[in-house]
């Protein structure tokens, strides 16, 4: 018996191994000095072959999630380091991989019970609290997938850091028969590659890792071999999967021919015979496929992100032939590379989950769902890259899974929760496999048949809600995918009609729900009128059977019929279904304009159809006795009709006006508003209906619409080019004042109503235009308290707010202007940082002079700043830097603008002024650099040349408190004076072009 144990003490951590097993000391904490924690116990003795402990290399891309990662977890009272590591352990022919967690915050009496079964699959076991085992600050996980037994004793092992899409870290193992194998920590039982380094008898005894995925094997005779491992390809995976499937199911126990054709396996794999199938072989196949597909709970490959290599096209160039062609497909279709391999691997994993003991239905369902998430909705196998052999394979696996559900449900007289759950999981996996192969009709038939069968049994696997939700989700994904063939399937299936009849709300979600990938509504993805018309015809022909509403009777939720909650329409008829669908289609349910139909005519047709259906609903729900009014359902239809007429601009008003009854005054007023006859509409509200509130509500809606239009124009057009409407047209309340003044024979009542409109909407109305509409003989006292005084107060308040806003904006401008100025000055401080000099490609200067003061020619200059001159000499240029410090006594509150050094005259033609770079703005107390570049021909230059130079600048008045310019015109303030100061001449010597050493 061989064991591996782990030491931990206050100083550090270490590994130790003993010959008779792992020593275990209980009840001793860290404060007592030393604890030993048992890691693993092997069956075989380590006296002949010593125990091997190798740390799995840390992943470079996911270092915080793989072995050897460190996480700094800090709290307010304790900051400790948590360290996780992954160890490969071996003794004799046995090996395993375990996870180690070191957490100093754990104390010695924290107890965990770990699995001690070394020959079984313990993937579902995890450390659980128990008593009697002290683990201190170290927690040891169970072996991943148990302990693997190799054919020959293990001599050495080494970790290989391999972080690509196709594999994570690997373990290279040297066995006694001279073979070096690579294995993954997530599935240590499967060798990924095998290389023979030694003969029989084997003389090689040790492996060592080298950079770039290389390993060296050394023998006792002093020989060494350099081993280079290549990355797994899809072809390698396909061949290995076929062989493992033969080991797991036997030569004829699974769809072997279909699998080989689906993954295009080589002859060596297809002709493989294999041993007798065992449950252990099926478990190994499950573990391997679980790892490759990214479903392993240890997540070595980073989940689905790392398994995307099955979609990668890294094995072949663009001009190479697809290694997985579909012989029955025609034409050049856009394919997902290796999609057939992915689907085939998922199908075999589902089959393995049904054949192992005990079965694992949850993994089968999870694998099928994960594959569907990667591929998305498959409408036809040609475009998705799935070949016909994969379709046949999935269908046969589906049959096996359905048989498993029947076998699991034989004893349905005493059903248990686990049995029902297992049947459900396998059934869903079978349906997902059919969906992966674009067999959507068959998948829906299987779903429906399973539900019908479950209704005849006690404790069936499908509940009504589960069945309807599963079916609606499937149909909704097909409809929202956008493919015509998928939409035809949804419309032509009788299941769609049955679902809408039994559960209208869920069934209607097929056409109105959000897309699972993009989040956009399915109706918003329509660009043609063909399918909306077909949906409308379908919904109109349906008569829902809403059992819940009928059973509740008078206890029905009254909020559904509330006028304030008009968005909820009981789906009890085909008309109600169609109305709800059209509201989603045109965008009124979300209050967004509909631009998803291909032409304005189509949009108008949909709006007209919705308006006519709503009007039909109102008329159909009117009571025979006019004194009773209309029913609650009729009130909902009427409120929806009014909302549509007030919101939509696409309804044809002439068509609707011709069918509206004369008693529908409010609706006729809204239609008149769409025709632009706003005064006529307001007469109906104010005069015939006698409601000033309704008239104000109509004007408020117009005001919001006009404001939204102006905001849209401001965002899309330049402010100066956007057309401006007149005040009379912009203000929707002026027609109401005119109507109020003309409506009454008694002028006092009309004036009173007009003044009320002015007082209620004084913040929105055009006040001057409104006052002009009032009679001239109206007393001032009747306007002062209700309108003039509040309007004056509001105007003054608004003026003060504008002053505060202007001051804040000015302060922000000053801050930004100063920041910009400082940035510009800083960008011109160094010769290599000046943007204007980069195009010259100056390089390094030959010689740089010492700075010297520039003095003005006139002694009476009071505004002259402090200037320092530096000369830079290059092979073809002379660059003169004028460092200007704005510190003149008379310039305390003045900035300098356009400060530049200008070479007015040169005594030699060999020096010609080329570029002048001024300082745009130089605030008081700051230093900036102006640059002057002269094109030079040193070979034509005599001993020296004299440059006559000038400093030119403008004086800008600024605010003494803030330092801001007194005017914002042009951004520089008001230039009070343009100054030209002649400075002393600058001498340029030829020797300076040859370097400093020639000047001495």
């Amino acid at each position: 018996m061989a064991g591996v144990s782990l030491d931990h003490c206050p100083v550090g951590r270490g590994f130790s191994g003993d010959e008779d097993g792992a020593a275990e000391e209980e009840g001793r904490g860290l404060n007592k000095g030393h604890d030993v924690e048992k890691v693993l116990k092997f069956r075989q003795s380590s006296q002949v072959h010593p125990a091997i402990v190798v740390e799995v290399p840390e992943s470079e891309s996911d270092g915080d999630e793989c072995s050897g990662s460190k996480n700094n977890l800090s709290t307010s009272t304790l900051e400790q380091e948590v360290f996780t590591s992954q160890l490969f352990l071996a003794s004799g022919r046995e090996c395993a991989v375990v996870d180690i967690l070191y957490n100093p915050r754990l104390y010695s009496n924290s107890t965990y019970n770990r699995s001690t079964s070394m020959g079984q699959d313990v993937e579902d076991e995890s450390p659980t609290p128990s008593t009697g085992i002290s683990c201190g600050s170290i927690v040891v996980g169970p072996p991943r997938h148990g302990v693997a037994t190799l054919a020959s004793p293990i001599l050495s092992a080494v970790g290989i850091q391999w972080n690509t899409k196709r594999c994570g870290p690997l373990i290279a193992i040297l066995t006694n028969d001279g073979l070096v194998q690579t294995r993954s920590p997530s599935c240590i039982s499967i060798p990924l590659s095998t290389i023979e380094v030694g003969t029989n008898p084997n003389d090689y005894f040790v492996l060592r890792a080298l950079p770039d995925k290389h390993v060296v094997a050394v023998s006792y005779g002093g020989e060494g071999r350099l081993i280079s491992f290549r990355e797994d390809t899809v072809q390698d995976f396909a061949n290995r999967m076929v062989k493992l499937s033969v080991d797991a199911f036997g030569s004829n126990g699974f769809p072997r021919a279909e699998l080989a054709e689906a993954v295009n396996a080589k002859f060596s794999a297809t002709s493989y015979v294999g041993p007798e199938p065992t449950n252990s072989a099926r478990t190994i196949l499950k573990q391997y496929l679980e790892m490759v597909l990214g479903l392993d709970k240890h997540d070595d490959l980073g989940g689905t992100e790392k398994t995307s290599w099955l979609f990668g096209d890294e094995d072949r160039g663009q001009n190479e032939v697809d290694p997985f062609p579909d012989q029955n497909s025609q034409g050049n279709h856009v394919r997902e590379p290796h999609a057939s391999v992915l689907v085939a691997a998922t199908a075999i994993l589902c089959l393995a989950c049904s054949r192992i003991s005990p079965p694992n239905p949850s993994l089968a369902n999870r694998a099928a769902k994960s594959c569907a998430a990667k591929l998305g909705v498959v409408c036809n196998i040609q475009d998705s890259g799935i070949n016909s052999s994969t379709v046949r394979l999935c269908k046969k696996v589906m049959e096996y899974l359905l048989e498993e559900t029947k076998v699991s449900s034989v004893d349905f007289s005493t059903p248990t929760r686990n049995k029902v759950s297992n049947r459900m999981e396998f059934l869903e996996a079978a349906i997902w496999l059919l969906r992966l192969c674009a067999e959507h009709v068959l998948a829906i038939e299987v779903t429906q048949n399973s539900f019908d069968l479950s209704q005849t049994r006690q404790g069936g696997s499908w509940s009504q809600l589960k069945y309807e939700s599963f079916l609606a989700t499937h149909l909704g994904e097909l409809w929202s995918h956008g493919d015509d063939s998928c939409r035809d399937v949804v419309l032509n299936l009788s299941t769609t009609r049955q679902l809408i009849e039994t559960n209208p709300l869920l069934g209607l979600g097929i056409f109105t729900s959000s897309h699972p990938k993009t989040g956009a509504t399915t109706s918003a993805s329509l660009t043609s009128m063909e399918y909306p018309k077909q949906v409308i015809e379908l919904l109109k022909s349906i008569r829902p059977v809403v059992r819940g509403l009928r059973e509740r009777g008078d206890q029905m939720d009254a909020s559904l019929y509330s006028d304030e909650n008009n968005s909820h329409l009981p789906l009890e008829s085909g008309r109600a279904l169609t109305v709800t669908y059209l509201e989603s289609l045109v965008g009124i349910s979300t209050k967004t304009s509909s631009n998803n139909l291909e032409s304005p005519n189509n949009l108008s047709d949909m709006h007209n159809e919705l308006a006519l259906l709503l009007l039909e609903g109102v008329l159909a729900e009117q009571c025979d006795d006019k004194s009773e009014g209309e029913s609650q359902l009729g009130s909902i239809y009427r409120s929806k009709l009014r909302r549509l007429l007030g919101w939509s601009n696409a309804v044809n008003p002439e068509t609707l006006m011709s069918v509206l009854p004369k008693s529908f005054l409010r609706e006729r007023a809204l239609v008149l508003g769409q025709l632009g006859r706003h005064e006529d509409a307001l007469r109906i509200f104010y005069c015939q209906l006698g409601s000033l509130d309704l008239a104000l509500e109509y004007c408020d809606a117009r005001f919001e619409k006009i404001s939204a239009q102006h905001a849209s124009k401001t965002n899309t057009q330049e402010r100066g080019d956007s057309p401006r409407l007149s005040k009379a047209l912009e203000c929707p309340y002026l027609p109401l004042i005119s109507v109020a003044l003309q409506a009454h024979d008694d002028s006092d009542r009309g004036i009173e109503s007009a003044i009320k409109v002015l007082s209620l909407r004084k913040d929105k109305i055009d006040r001057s235009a409104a006052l002009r509409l009032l009679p001239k003989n109206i007393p001032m006292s009747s306007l002062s308290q209700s309108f003039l005084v509040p309007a004056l107060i509001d105007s003054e308040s608004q003026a003060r707010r504008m002053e505060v806003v202007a001051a804040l904006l000015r302060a922000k401008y000053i801050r930004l202007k100063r920041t910009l100025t400082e940035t510009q000055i800083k960008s011109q401080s160094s010769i290599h940082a000046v943007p204007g000099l980069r195009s010259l490609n100056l390089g390094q200067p030959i010689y740089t002079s010492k700075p010297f003061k520039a003095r003005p020619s006139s002694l009476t200059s009071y505004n002259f700043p402090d200037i320092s001159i530096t000369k830079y000499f290059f092979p073809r240029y002379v660059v003169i830097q004028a460092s200007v410090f704005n510190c003149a006594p008379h310039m305390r509150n003045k900035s300098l603008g356009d400060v530049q050094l200008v070479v007015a005259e040169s005594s030699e033609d060999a020096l010609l002024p080329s570029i002048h770079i001024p300082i745009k703005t130089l605030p008081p107390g700051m230093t900036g650099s102006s640059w002057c570049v002269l094109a030079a021909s040193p070979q034509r230059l005599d001993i020296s040349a004299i440059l006559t130079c000038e400093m030119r600048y403008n004086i800008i008045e600024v605010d003494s408190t803030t330092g801001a310019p007194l005017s914002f015109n042009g951004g520089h303030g008001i230039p009070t004076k343009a100054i030209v100061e002649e400075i002393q001449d600058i001498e340029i010597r030829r020797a300076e072009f040859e370097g400093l050493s020639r000047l001495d």
Side-chain angles (χ1 to χ4, degrees):
M1 189 74 68
V4 179
S5 62
L6 234 166
D7 296 343
H8 54 88
C9 59
V11 178
R13 304 181 298 277
F15 302 110
S16 65
D18 61 58
E19 297 179 357
D20 297 327
E24 181 178 335
E25 300 183 14
E26 302 180 6
R28 295 195 299 169
L30 288 175
N31 54 356
K32 295 186 178 182
H34 190 79
D35 285 347
V36 176
E37 174 62 22
K38 179 174 66 178
V39 177
L40 192 62
K41 184 181 295 183
F42 293 107
R43 290 191 180 93
Q44 298 183 5
S45 173
S46 61
Q47 294 181 357
V48 178
H49 299 286
I52 298 173
V53 179
V54 174
E55 184 175 11
V56 178
E58 179 182 357
S59 173
E60 294 177 352
S61 58
D62 302 313
D64 293 338
E65 300 177 0
C66 299
S67 65
S69 64
K70 298 182 180 180
N71 303 318
N72 294 324
L73 306 176
S74 60
T75 62
S76 57
T77 58
L78 180 63
E79 293 186 1
Q80 297 288 357
E81 181 186 81
V82 177
F83 185 92
T84 59
S85 183
Q86 197 177 111
L87 299 182
F88 170 79
L89 310 175
S91 177
R93 295 167 51 230
E94 295 179 325
C95 62
V97 175
V98 297
D99 294 309
I100 307 293
L101 170 67
Y102 173 75
N103 189 350
R105 295 181 300 172
L106 297 176
Y107 42 88
S108 60
N109 59 357
S110 298
T111 56
Y112 292 83
N113 181 24
R114 295 176 305 282
S115 171
T116 57
S117 59
M118 299 304 167
Q120 300 177 358
D121 184 9
V122 293
E123 66 174 272
D124 296 328
E125 299 184 19
S126 57
T128 56
S130 66
T131 58
I133 299 178
S134 173
C135 66
S137 58
I138 295 179
V139 178
V140 181
R144 294 192 174 190
H145 306 302
V147 178
T149 302
L150 277 62
S152 182
I154 301 173
L155 300 179
S156 181
V158 68
I160 305 175
Q161 194 171 42
W162 203 321
N163 304 291
T164 65
K165 289 183 176 181
R166 304 200 170 186
C167 63
L170 299 178
I171 299 295
I173 301 174
L174 173 64
T175 54
N176 196 35
D177 53 5
L179 300 180
V180 176
Q181 297 176 340
T182 57
R183 297 173 182 252
S184 171
S186 292
C187 189
I188 202 68
S189 301
I190 302 297
L192 302 180
S193 62
T194 302
I195 299 176
E196 183 177 1
V197 295
T199 58
N200 194 9
N202 173 47
D203 195 31
Y204 286 84
F205 70 98
V206 69
L207 295 177
R208 288 295 182 265
L210 297 177
D212 298 329
K213 308 176 186 64
H214 289 85
V215 171
V216 62
V218 181
S219 70
Y220 288 108
E223 295 181 357
R225 291 196 177 185
L226 182 64
I227 306 172
S228 178
F229 298 99
R230 68 174 178 85
E231 195 174 34
D232 242 13
T233 64
V234 179
Q235 189 66 66
D236 295 332
F237 165 68
N239 297 336
R240 189 180 300 118
M241 179 173 59
V242 172
K243 291 182 179 180
L244 291 176
S245 300
V246 173
D247 292 340
F249 308 116
S251 300
N252 301 316
F254 71 105
R256 178 173 182 171
E258 288 79 3
L259 175 61
E261 293 178 5
V263 300
N264 196 24
K266 298 298 183 181
F267 177 76
S268 59
T270 56
S271 60
Y272 178 71
V273 178
E276 288 293 325
T278 61
N279 187 63
S280 177
R282 289 188 287 272
T283 301
I284 290 176
L285 173 63
K286 177 192 76 69
Q287 294 173 3
Y288 175 67
L289 293 178
E290 190 179 3
M291 174 197 69
V292 174
L293 296 176
L295 302 171
D296 182 58
K297 68 178 181 179
H298 301 292
D299 201 19
D300 283 335
L301 297 182
T304 56
E305 295 298 327
K306 291 289 186 179
T307 57
S308 60
W309 66 275
L310 284 175
F311 292 95
D313 208 8
E314 301 175 5
D315 295 335
R316 55 193 174 93
Q318 297 180 352
N319 298 325
E320 295 184 34
V321 180
D322 187 352
F324 303 100
D326 186 358
Q327 297 177 357
N328 297 330
S329 63
Q330 297 178 357
N332 295 324
H333 300 283
V334 179
R335 294 172 172 268
E336 293 287 353
H338 317 318
S340 288
V341 182
L342 177 64
V343 176
T346 303
I348 294 300
L349 177 58
C350 293
L351 182 61
C353 291
S354 66
R355 298 284 185 87
I356 61 175
S357 180
N360 194 338
S362 61
L363 177 59
N365 191 16
R366 185 159 58 96
K369 286 183 178 180
S370 176
C371 184
K374 295 184 183 76
L375 289 177
V377 178
V378 181
C379 295
N380 55 79
I381 61 175
Q382 289 84 6
D383 292 343
S384 62
I386 299 175
N387 54 43
S388 57
S389 300
T390 306
V391 177
R392 294 196 300 271
L393 171 65
C394 289
K395 286 184 177 181
K396 290 193 175 182
V397 172
M398 178 269 297
E399 295 174 358
Y400 291 140
L401 295 179
L402 293 181
E403 289 294 330
E404 181 65 26
T405 61
K406 294 178 182 178
V407 172
S408 302
S409 58
V410 170
D411 186 16
F412 58 83
S413 59
T414 58
T416 64
R417 185 174 181 178
N418 289 335
K419 290 180 180 179
V420 173
S421 177
N422 288 353
R423 292 199 301 268
M424 191 68 183
E425 298 278 7
F426 279 128
L427 179 60
E428 289 189 26
I431 295 172
W432 281 108
L433 288 179
L434 291 175
R435 294 175 61 173
L436 286 170
C437 299
E439 296 290 338
H440 298 286
V441 176
L442 181 57
I444 293 173
E445 289 179 0
V446 171
T447 305
Q448 191 170 13
N449 294 337
S450 300
F451 173 71
D452 295 339
L453 184 62
S454 67
Q455 300 304 302
T456 62
R457 300 172 178 172
Q458 181 183 1
S461 58
W462 287 96
S463 65
Q464 181 76 24
L465 180 60
K466 175 68 176 178
Y467 162 73
E468 291 176 349
S469 301
F470 190 86
L471 197 59
T473 302
H474 186 185
L475 294 173
E477 291 179 2
L478 289 177
W479 183 263
S480 63
H481 185 259
D483 188 84
D484 291 345
S485 60
C486 291
R487 287 178 175 165
D488 291 336
V489 168
V490 175
L491 290 173
N492 296 328
L493 276 175
S494 61
T495 309
T496 305
R497 173 182 291 272
Q498 296 173 4
L499 178 62
I500 300 176
E501 289 176 349
T502 57
N503 195 331
L505 185 61
L506 196 61
L508 193 60
I510 296 172
F511 308 106
T512 62
S513 61
S514 298
H515 192 282
K517 296 290 185 181
T518 63
T521 58
T522 55
S523 58
S525 62
L526 299 175
T527 57
S528 173
M529 282 298 298
E530 177 184 357
Y531 289 105
K533 288 181 178 178
Q534 294 183 30
V535 174
I536 291 172
E537 293 176 0
L538 172 65
L539 296 178
K540 284 182 177 180
S541 64
I542 292 177
R543 296 295 178 264
V545 181
V546 188
R547 293 183 296 273
L549 292 179
R550 300 302 183 192
E551 292 170 1
R552 287 197 296 268
D554 297 335
Q555 300 179 357
M556 189 180 349
D557 189 1
S559 64
L560 292 178
Y561 293 95
S562 172
D563 186 42
E564 296 178 356
N565 194 19
N566 53 33
S567 60
H568 296 86
L569 180 65
L571 304 178
E572 297 179 333
S573 64
R575 181 193 305 114
L577 291 170
T578 310
V579 166
T580 306
Y581 169 71
L582 285 174
E583 285 184 336
S584 174
L585 182 65
V586 302
I588 190 174
S589 57
T590 57
K591 294 184 179 181
T592 56
S593 59
S594 177
N595 298 319
N596 52 318
L597 297 176
E598 59 184 3
S599 69
N601 293 333
N602 294 336
L603 181 63
S604 179
D605 291 343
M606 291 295 101
H607 284 247
N608 292 336
E609 180 72 21
L610 177 57
L612 294 175
L613 281 173
L614 291 172
L615 178 59
E616 179 185 335
V618 176
L619 297 176
E621 295 297 328
Q622 283 184 337
C623 300
D624 296 335
D625 188 358
K626 295 185 178 180
S627 61
E628 297 181 3
E630 59 189 9
S631 64
Q632 291 179 325
L633 186 58
S635 299
I636 296 180
Y637 277 114
R638 185 182 291 271
S639 62
K640 285 181 173 291
L641 176 60
R642 292 170 179 173
R643 185 177 64 162
L644 175 65
L645 295 178
W647 172 82
S648 173
N649 292 324
V651 176
N652 190 336
E654 291 84 0
T655 302
L656 196 58
M657 185 65 76
S658 62
V659 297
L660 273 175
K662 293 183 179 180
S663 60
F664 284 46
L665 294 177
R666 190 170 173 181
E667 289 75 12
R668 294 178 73 87
L670 293 174
V671 176
L672 288 173
Q674 292 195 0
L675 290 171
R677 298 165 57 182
H678 301 293
E679 289 194 7
D680 293 339
L682 289 171
R683 286 191 182 92
I684 294 177
F685 286 120
Y686 184 75
C687 300
Q688 299 184 35
L689 294 175
S691 175
L692 180 61
D693 293 336
L694 289 177
L696 285 174
E697 182 181 341
Y698 175 82
C699 295
D700 291 339
R702 282 196 61 210
F703 180 83
E704 293 179 1
K705 188 176 295 185
I706 292 174
S707 300
Q709 290 175 355
H710 279 284
S712 177
K713 290 178 181 178
T714 303
N715 294 331
T716 56
Q717 299 180 8
E718 295 183 2
R719 191 177 300 272
D721 296 337
S722 59
R724 293 183 56 84
L725 299 176
S726 65
K727 288 290 185 181
L729 292 178
E730 283 186 351
C731 183
Y733 300 96
L734 298 181
L736 178 58
I737 295 177
S738 300
V739 170
L741 291 174
Q742 301 170 8
H744 302 284
D745 297 334
D746 186 1
S747 61
D748 292 339
R749 290 185 58 189
I751 293 174
E752 182 181 354
S753 298
I755 293 175
K756 187 175 182 180
V757 173
L758 289 173
S759 62
L760 292 175
R761 299 295 185 268
K762 55 182 175 291
D763 55 335
K764 299 178 180 178
I765 200 168
D766 186 353
R767 296 164 185 166
S768 60
L771 289 175
R772 285 192 293 268
L773 293 177
L774 296 177
K776 295 183 179 180
N777 58 353
I778 185 172
M780 185 65 67
S781 59
S782 61
L783 289 172
S784 59
Q785 295 297 325
S786 60
F787 176 66
L788 292 178
V789 173
L792 181 60
I793 294 174
D794 182 69
S795 298
E796 291 180 354
S797 176
Q798 187 175 1
R800 286 194 296 270
R801 287 196 300 269
M802 292 299 103
E803 289 178 359
V804 172
V805 171
L808 292 175
L809 292 175
R810 182 182 180 88
K812 183 178 181 180
Y813 171 83
I814 292 171
R815 184 173 66 255
L816 294 176
K817 184 68 177 177
R818 187 170 186 86
T819 303
L820 176 61
T821 301
E822 292 175 354
T823 303
Q824 290 175 344
I825 292 174
K826 185 177 180 181
S827 66
Q828 293 185 195
S829 60
S830 174
I831 188 172
H832 296 291
V834 180
L837 300 180
R838 293 176 183 173
S839 60
L840 300 179
N841 297 322
L842 297 175
Q844 294 298 324
I846 300 173
Y847 169 69
T848 302
S849 70
K850 294 181 180 180
F852 61 90
K853 294 289 184 180
R855 304 186 183 279
S857 301
S858 174
L859 299 178
T860 60
S861 178
Y862 301 102
N863 300 323
F864 193 76
D866 187 3
I867 301 176
S868 177
I869 301 295
T870 304
K871 299 179 292 183
Y872 300 86
F873 292 87
F874 298 89
R876 297 175 55 190
Y877 296 98
V878 176
V879 181
I880 302 176
Q881 176 186 9
S883 181
V884 183
F885 180 33
N886 187 5
C887 62
H890 295 80
M891 301 288 290
R892 293 181 180 178
N893 297 325
K894 298 177 182 179
S895 296
L896 301 181
D898 293 328
V899 183
Q900 58 179 327
L901 173 68
V902 178
V903 176
E905 186 179 353
S906 174
S907 62
E908 294 286 344
D909 294 338
L911 297 174
L912 298 176
S914 176
I915 299 176
H916 295 89
I917 301 177
I919 306 171
K920 293 184 179 180
T921 305
L922 187 61
M926 294 192 67
T927 302
S929 296
S930 174
W931 300 85
C932 178
V933 180
L934 294 91
S937 300
Q939 64 276 10
R940 296 172 49 198
L941 187 65
D942 291 338
I943 297 175
S944 64
I946 303 299
L947 303 179
T948 302
C949 300
E950 298 174 347
M951 285 300 301
R952 300 178 182 178
Y953 53 91
N954 299 323
I955 299 177
I956 304 174
E957 296 289 344
V958 297
D959 187 90
S960 59
T961 303
T962 62
L966 296 180
S967 173
F968 289 90
N969 296 330
H972 298 295
I974 303 176
T976 58
K977 188 186 300 183
I979 306 297
V980 178
E981 294 278 2
E982 186 176 349
I983 63 175
Q984 65 184 22
D985 296 340
I986 299 176
E987 183 181 7
I988 304 296
R989 293 180 291 176
R990 181 174 179 176
E992 292 174 314
F993 285 97
E994 300 175 1
L996 180 61
S997 60
R998 298 291 301 275
L999 297 177
D1000 299 335

